[in-house]
Amino acid sequence: QSFAIAGGRGRVEVTERRGRWELDADLAALDLDALATLARPWFTLPEGFTVAGSAAGTLQASGRDDDLSTATAAFDVARLDFADAEGTLAGEGVAGRLDVTLRAATGGAFGAEGRISLSGGQAYSDPVFLDFGRHGLDLDFRGLLAADGSRFDAESFRLLHHDVADVAGSALLDLAGETLLLRAKTRLAVVELATAVPAYAQPYLISTAFKDLEGAGRLRGEIDIDDGLPVRVDLQLEDVALDSQTGSLFIAGLAGNFNWHDDLLRDELAKSGADSEIFKSRLAWREARLWNIDIAAVELPFTTTGRHFRLLDPVLLPVFDGGLAVETLRVRHAGTDDMYLRFDAELQPISVARITRALGWPEFSGRLSGRIPQLEWQAGEVTLGGNLEAQVFDGRIVVRELRLRDPLGRFPRLYASIDIDNLDLEQLTNTFSFGMITGRLSGYVRGLETFNWMPEAFDARLATPPGDRSPHRISQRAVANLSRVGGGGGGGVVAALQGGFLRFFENFRYDRLGLTCRLENDVCSMGGVEPQDGGYYIVKGKGIPRIDVIGNQQRVAWRRLVGQLASIMEGSGPEIR
């Protein structure tokens, strides 16, 4: 008998004998929205969930009186559009096939098994977007469907995302609640990172520096989920490569095992006498690069459970021609207000020129070395139990009393004092195209306070150190640039250097040079090496011809001073001809 059903048409044959019945139907051009309405006695969609599209197939069913005993359906879906009320789950033009068999079980439930094959269209589950036209998906399942259709307990399943992942296991789905995946034990037979990273990782990185991350290699392992959250992760990495085209990250030859348990499961396993080796991880890479800083081969032994991480053994991270020898790295309660971090390391001498070149900064000379003792992050504040030291420009810079509040917040605050000892001015000025100055420079920056990385207060002095016997020479360009900092633009000095017999001298001798600045309320109170007629010497000349640079601005707006310095560092200072 032919009839109209769910916006389409059908042919059905029904036989009945002594209360037992059998149904055999062919269905064509079904409207899926209308079909969902007809299926409500057995299966109810979540509130606000909509479906549309068309399908065709066959249905065989049998039962007794009003009870269904078995049902077998095979449907080809020409098009399926769906969306939830929040717009976090949606599909458009999804095409595929559904084969499912139901058998009545106790309590009104149904044993269910079948396959879903998707070969076209796109689907979105915030924030992941999948294109089944490029990578089809097959899902085989067997389990128990609740009488009201609200839950499905999959005794076994296998999800094959073609050329992306092969995953099997068991799962409990809440088809009517807010958390779809209540519980699962999954085995990752293989995950191909070349296709899995763009599909499943990039969407979560879109607002980070790694938004263009690409991958290669394979993952295998197991993931257990309880109440919608992972409780155990056991992964094996096989020759994994990760690469960001912007240069933020590159790793090659990443391999090893990664084990993670949530706190509750770890405690249960520990109490049961489980081998402690199951909590340990070990990862190694052949080569790596972070923001163009090369890090050679490393092996990292560690444990991580819940929100905690601990490095098990000291590790040397080879960086360029030196390295970072990490003695302690421990994190607790990561990502919470109670986060605590402890870090102890020694920086083995690294060429500063290679670091600055990698970061695209002006190339500095010298070597960076020293200790990073007892760096701790607690209650939103980073503190240091000792000093940071850098050997640069043939001198030394020491950072003391370092504190950093809210480092990952919108408005971080930094506090520190800095000692500067015996820098080579020729190396320093050549780095920034300032104009040549020879001699040495020492000083300090005390009481430094920054807000969102911009200085708010400090007391600074930079000057020729007492007893410096190195040659003291300064070029015309350097004289003009220093006059701009403290003398109202440098125009008078430029005129003097361009006119008269001074224009025949490229360099001049000097006795001392220096600047001071006390920053308060966005104003810098300035000074030099000594007072001079209501102003101050920035450069006190020596010999013949003698040239002095006199500063006459006692108070300078901080933004203006920063602008002058930036202009000079960019090489746009006065040009002496």
Side-chain angles (χ1 to χ4, degrees):
Q1 180 179 357
S2 297
F3 58 95
I5 181 173
R9 61 188 182 277
R11 181 195 60 80
V12 64
E13 292 183 3
V14 178
T15 60
E16 190 271 340
R17 184 178 181 184
R18 296 180 180 178
R20 297 191 61 85
W21 55 266
E22 293 182 356
L23 179 147
D24 188 353
D26 292 322
L27 307 171
L30 297 179
D31 182 289
L32 294 180
D33 184 24
L35 185 62
T37 301
L38 288 176
R40 281 178 184 170
W42 303 280
F43 179 78
T44 303
L45 292 172
E47 184 176 354
F49 199 97
T50 61
V51 295
S54 62
T58 61
L59 174 66
Q60 291 84 39
S62 65
R64 184 178 186 87
D65 297 328
D66 294 334
D67 297 326
L68 177 67
S69 298
T70 64
T72 300
F75 283 89
D76 290 306
V77 179
R79 180 183 182 91
L80 169 62
D81 302 327
F82 62 89
D84 65 3
E86 295 78 19
T88 58
L89 180 66
E92 182 176 355
V94 177
R97 181 178 173 86
L98 168 66
D99 292 279
V100 62
T101 297
L102 301 178
R103 292 183 177 87
T106 59
F110 289 91
E113 61 180 296
R115 162 175 281 205
I116 299 173
S117 296
L118 304 177
S119 56
Q122 297 84 36
Y124 172 78
S125 179
D126 189 29
V128 175
F129 174 84
L130 300 178
D131 187 341
F132 300 119
R134 296 185 60 187
H135 299 286
L137 185 148
D138 295 323
L139 174 62
D140 294 280
F141 57 88
R142 178 170 56 84
L144 192 66
L145 180 67
D148 61 357
S150 61
R151 287 195 175 195
F152 180 59
D153 190 353
E155 299 171 6
S156 66
F157 73 88
R158 182 189 180 193
L159 188 152
L160 179 61
H161 194 180
H162 297 183
D163 300 321
V164 179
D166 187 352
V167 182
S170 61
L172 176 60
L173 304 180
D174 186 352
L175 303 175
E178 294 183 359
T179 302
L180 176 64
L181 187 58
L182 289 180
R183 189 170 60 248
K185 287 186 175 293
T186 63
R187 298 182 302 278
L188 282 63
V190 64
V191 176
E192 300 286 354
L193 294 181
T195 48
V197 168
Y200 294 104
Q202 277 189 6
Y204 293 96
L205 302 173
I206 196 65
S207 60
T208 73
F210 310 110
K211 60 185 177 182
D212 61 345
L213 192 67
E214 298 177 349
R218 292 181 170 185
L219 289 180
R220 304 180 193 275
E222 299 178 351
I223 298 177
D224 295 346
I225 293 172
D226 193 9
D227 198 20
L229 296 174
V231 294
R232 184 179 75 94
V233 177
D234 180 2
L235 299 178
Q236 289 78 50
L237 289 74
E238 301 177 1
D239 198 22
V240 168
L242 300 172
D243 189 13
S244 171
Q245 297 301 311
T246 57
S248 55
L249 175 68
F250 169 77
I251 298 177
L254 179 62
N257 66 292
F258 174 82
N259 293 312
W260 175 89
H261 299 75
D262 77 346
D263 292 329
L264 183 60
L265 180 59
R266 178 190 167 87
D267 291 343
E268 291 176 353
L269 291 171
K271 289 178 181 178
S272 67
D275 190 340
S276 62
E277 291 296 317
I278 68 172
F279 304 121
K280 296 180 180 180
S281 302
R282 187 173 296 270
L283 294 177
W285 61 73
R286 188 168 57 249
E287 59 176 317
R289 187 165 56 251
L290 186 63
W291 282 291
N292 292 322
I293 295 178
D294 291 331
I295 305 174
V298 171
E299 185 173 291
L300 299 174
F302 61 92
T303 62
T304 178
T305 60
R307 293 177 177 266
H308 317 306
F309 173 94
R310 181 167 64 94
L311 188 68
L312 293 176
D313 299 310
V315 169
L316 174 64
L317 300 177
V319 179
F320 292 133
D321 52 350
L324 181 66
V326 181
E327 298 172 8
T328 304
L329 177 57
R330 185 179 303 145
V331 181
R332 299 174 185 157
H333 309 295
T336 72
D337 293 338
D338 296 324
M339 178 173 170
Y340 170 82
L341 179 145
R342 171 67 183 269
F343 181 69
D344 295 277
E346 180 178 354
L347 194 60
Q348 299 181 354
I350 302 174
S351 170
V352 177
R354 297 185 67 171
I355 296 176
T356 53
R357 187 161 57 243
L359 296 175
W361 296 351
E363 189 169 313
F364 298 176
S365 61
R367 301 183 73 77
L368 188 64
S369 64
R371 285 197 56 79
I372 307 174
Q374 299 178 21
L375 186 150
E376 293 186 334
W377 179 341
Q378 193 167 19
E381 181 172 284
V382 176
T383 59
L384 201 63
N387 300 331
L388 291 177
E389 181 177 323
Q391 305 288 336
V392 293
F393 301 121
D394 198 33
R396 186 177 66 155
I397 296 177
V398 179
V399 180
R400 300 181 291 105
E401 302 166 358
L402 176 67
R403 290 187 297 129
L404 180 58
R405 289 184 181 174
D406 197 21
L408 300 180
R410 292 183 61 190
F411 303 110
R413 300 190 72 100
L414 180 142
Y415 306 84
S417 291
I418 304 170
D419 294 329
I420 299 165
D421 182 34
N422 214 36
L423 303 188
D424 185 332
L425 272 171
E426 185 171 11
Q427 293 184 25
L428 177 62
T429 54
N430 285 343
T431 296
F432 294 103
S433 301
F434 186 86
M436 187 274 294
I437 306 177
T438 66
R440 293 284 170 165
L441 187 72
S442 295
Y444 56 78
V445 180
R446 294 174 181 161
L448 173 63
E449 298 181 17
T450 73
F451 178 73
N452 198 25
W453 310 115
M454 294 298 295
E456 283 194 324
F458 60 76
D459 181 10
R461 184 182 190 277
L462 298 172
T464 304
D468 178 28
R469 296 186 178 181
S470 62
H472 290 181
R473 306 288 292 180
I474 184 168
S475 69
Q476 286 195 12
R477 181 179 181 84
V479 167
N481 281 331
L482 283 173
S483 70
R484 295 178 66 198
V485 174
V493 172
V494 174
L497 292 172
Q498 289 178 338
F501 79 99
L502 290 180
R503 69 179 183 275
F504 297 110
F505 293 86
E506 293 184 1
N507 302 309
F508 304 92
R509 296 172 64 196
Y510 71 90
D511 178 35
R512 290 181 295 155
L513 59 75
L515 274 171
T516 66
C517 169
R518 180 186 292 272
L519 177 63
E520 292 179 311
N521 299 322
D522 291 327
V523 174
C524 188
S525 300
M526 299 189 65
V529 291
E530 66 178 69
Q532 201 278 335
D533 292 339
Y536 47 87
Y537 282 106
I538 297 176
V539 178
K540 187 173 183 180
K542 181 179 180 180
I544 298 176
R546 171 171 173 151
I547 186 165
D548 298 322
V549 178
I550 310 297
N552 53 40
Q553 297 184 19
Q554 305 289 344
R555 292 170 59 83
V556 180
W558 175 246
R559 292 183 182 275
R560 177 181 175 186
L561 180 60
V562 170
Q564 289 174 334
L565 292 173
S567 177
I568 290 170
M569 296 307 181
E570 291 170 0
S572 58
E575 184 176 355
I576 312 301
R577 297 183 182 275

